[in-house]
């Protein structure tokens, strides 16, 4: 944990979970996304040359005008940091970022890192209030593009705004207002899995069985619309039941695992309204919709099984 001292500027950002709709979203379905927890914190201070510390790792950039002209062989973090500084017209800064959520398990840690850093750098560059969201998100996207090619932007939007969003590939991100704040639990149930490989796996199955996969995608599309309606009328039991349907369909898509199924079953047995894998699957995290009463029971069940978990209100 890093602690503040005088003269430093700070940024924070949330993690994210996909409440419903992953994988189908690749084929045009909507998804509902929640910003959860504090996933990343960044601090920056002016320095003679730009440097970035990420946990144990530190990269340095050449000073001033040369920092953006890094060779292609330079570490990705250095190229990403140079892109982010340039996007914000920032001076050379020494930055330090810490993650509070595990990376690579579908909780948006990488976008949160980028947004927390962009927020702190924007403050140092005296960006001002007007247009801040667009500026910070564009800088975070410049960072993300170095690692992930063309990121959809949904993780960065959730990291910046928190709250609840409706996302489609065609239309981007739109805020959604639940009738009541949603209480969710998140548990990391399996090792990190490559989202790209999971997406390719679904595409491969679709080549062999187009009708079966398209039927599943259509069912997920219908249930995401129903989930939006349940959320806006504050009907948690209905929303939870839709998450359980979504889990069954994700399992039919071939992206669930026995570990994910077990973590989902534990949450349901402990009284969650609903639970499912979140993100690419093949490992990674599950999300459960909780009530005041079930929250501690669900977290205790996951902890007894040795899973990293936390609860959040959105
Ligand atoms: O694993 P995550 O949290 O990055 O989520 C991936 C969501 C997918 O729908 C599986 C892929 C995508 O690009 O939308």
């Amino acid at each position: 944990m890093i602690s503040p001292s005088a003269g430093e500027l700070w940024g924070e950002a949330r993690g994210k979970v996909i409440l419903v709709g992953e994988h189908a979203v690749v084929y045009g379905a909507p998804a509902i996304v929640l910003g959860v927890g504090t996933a990343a914190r960044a601090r920056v201070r002016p320095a003679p040359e730009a440097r970035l510390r990420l946990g144990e790792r530190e990269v340095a950039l050449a000073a001033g005008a040369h920092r953006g002209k890094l060779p292609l062989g330079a570490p990705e973090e250095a190229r990403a940091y140079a892109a982010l500084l340039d996007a914000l017209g920032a001076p050379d800064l020494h930055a330090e970022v810490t993650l509070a959520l595990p990376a690579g398990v579908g909780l948006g840690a990488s976008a949160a890192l980028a947004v927390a850093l962009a927020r702190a750098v924007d403050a140092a560059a005296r960006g001002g209030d007007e247009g801040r969201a667009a500026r910070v998100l564009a800088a975070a996207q410049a960072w993300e593009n170095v690692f992930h090619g063309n990121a959809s932007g949904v993780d960065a939007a959730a990291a910046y705004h928190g709250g609840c969003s409706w996302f489609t590939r065609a239309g981007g991100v739109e805020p959604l207002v639940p009738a009541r704040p949603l209480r969710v639990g998140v548990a990391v149930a399996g090792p990190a899995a490559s989202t790209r490989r999971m997406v390719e796996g679904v595409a491969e199955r679709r080549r062999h069985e187009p009708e079966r996969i398209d039927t599943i995608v259509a069912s997920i599309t219908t249930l995401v619309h129903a989930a939006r309606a349940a959320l806006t009328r504050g009907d948690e039991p209905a929303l939870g039941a839709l998450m359980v349907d979504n889990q069954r369909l994700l399992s039919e898509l071939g992206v669930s695992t026995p570990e994910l199924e077990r973590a989902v079953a534990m949450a349901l047995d402990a009284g969650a309204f609903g639970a499912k894998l979140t993100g690419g699957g093949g490992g990674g995290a599950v999300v459960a919709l909780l009530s005041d009463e079930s929250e501690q029971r669900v977290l205790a069940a996951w902890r007894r099984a040795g899973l990293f978990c936390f609860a959040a209100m959105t």
Side-chain angles (χ1 to χ4, degrees):
M1 182 67 210
I2 48 185
S3 48
S5 63
E8 290 175 341
L9 291 155
W10 282 77
E12 286 190 342
R14 297 194 177 286
K16 73 99 187 25
V17 291
I18 299 178
L19 193 66
V20 283
E22 54 274 268
H23 283 289
V25 79
V26 173
Y27 300 97
I32 297 176
V33 182
L34 307 180
V36 292
T38 297
R41 287 195 176 86
R43 64 177 181 184
V44 301
R45 59 185 158 77
E49 61 166 23
R51 279 178 171 275
L52 170 68
R53 190 175 175 84
L54 288 174
E56 298 297 294
R57 200 166 150 69
E58 182 156 329
V59 291
L61 279 57
H66 300 293
R67 71 180 181 210
K69 301 193 179 68
L70 292 164
L72 222 61
E76 283 184 322
E77 292 89 347
R79 286 193 282 126
Y81 187 37
L84 184 146
L85 288 170
D86 288 346
L88 292 167
D92 287 327
L93 296 166
H94 189 173
E96 195 173 343
V97 189
T98 51
L99 284 181
L101 291 182
V105 292
L107 298 180
S110 141
L113 190 166
V115 169
L117 184 58
R119 269 194 165 131
V121 169
D122 187 58
R126 301 179 194 283
D129 291 343
E130 200 179 317
R132 178 180 290 133
R135 236 176 18 244
V136 166
L137 289 173
Q141 186 80 12
W143 165 285
E144 284 273 88
N145 284 345
V146 172
F147 295 95
H148 305 298
N150 208 2
S152 70
V154 64
D155 283 21
Y160 188 89
H161 295 289
C164 183
S165 314
W166 178 258
F167 175 75
T168 58
R169 278 193 137 181
V173 179
E174 170 198 327
L176 262 188
V177 184
R180 275 192 293 277
L182 297 176
R183 185 184 296 269
V184 294
V186 178
V188 178
S194 151
T195 295
R196 184 181 303 175
R197 276 231 306 280
M198 302 311 295
V199 169
E200 282 166 8
V202 173
E204 179 64 24
R205 265 157 247 145
R206 188 163 177 262
R207 272 193 291 280
H208 289 109
E209 306 170 277
E211 269 170 37
R212 188 176 77 82
I213 300 297
D214 286 348
T215 304
I216 295 173
V217 169
S219 303
I220 294 177
T221 305
T222 305
L223 84 76
V224 176
H225 284 278
R228 178 181 182 147
L231 190 137
T232 46
R233 69 174 187 270
D235 188 345
E236 282 98 346
L239 184 54
L242 291 162
M243 290 169 69
V244 171
D245 288 348
N246 197 169
Q247 171 62 23
R248 181 178 45 75
L249 293 162
L250 286 163
S251 173
E252 287 175 20
L253 279 182
V255 299
S256 193
T257 65
E259 290 83 3
L260 290 164
E261 298 289 341
R262 258 200 301 282
V264 165
M266 277 178 220
L268 296 175
D269 288 349
F273 290 120
K276 58 179 273 296
L277 71 84
T278 181
V286 298
V287 57
L289 185 65
L290 306 177
S291 59
D292 282 3
E293 301 74 44
S294 63
E295 175 178 326
Q296 288 313 318
R297 285 205 305 274
V298 171
L299 292 183
W302 281 336
R303 286 196 186 114
R304 272 197 302 277
L307 305 184
F308 170 86
C309 59
F310 63 94
M313 293 281 281
T314 296

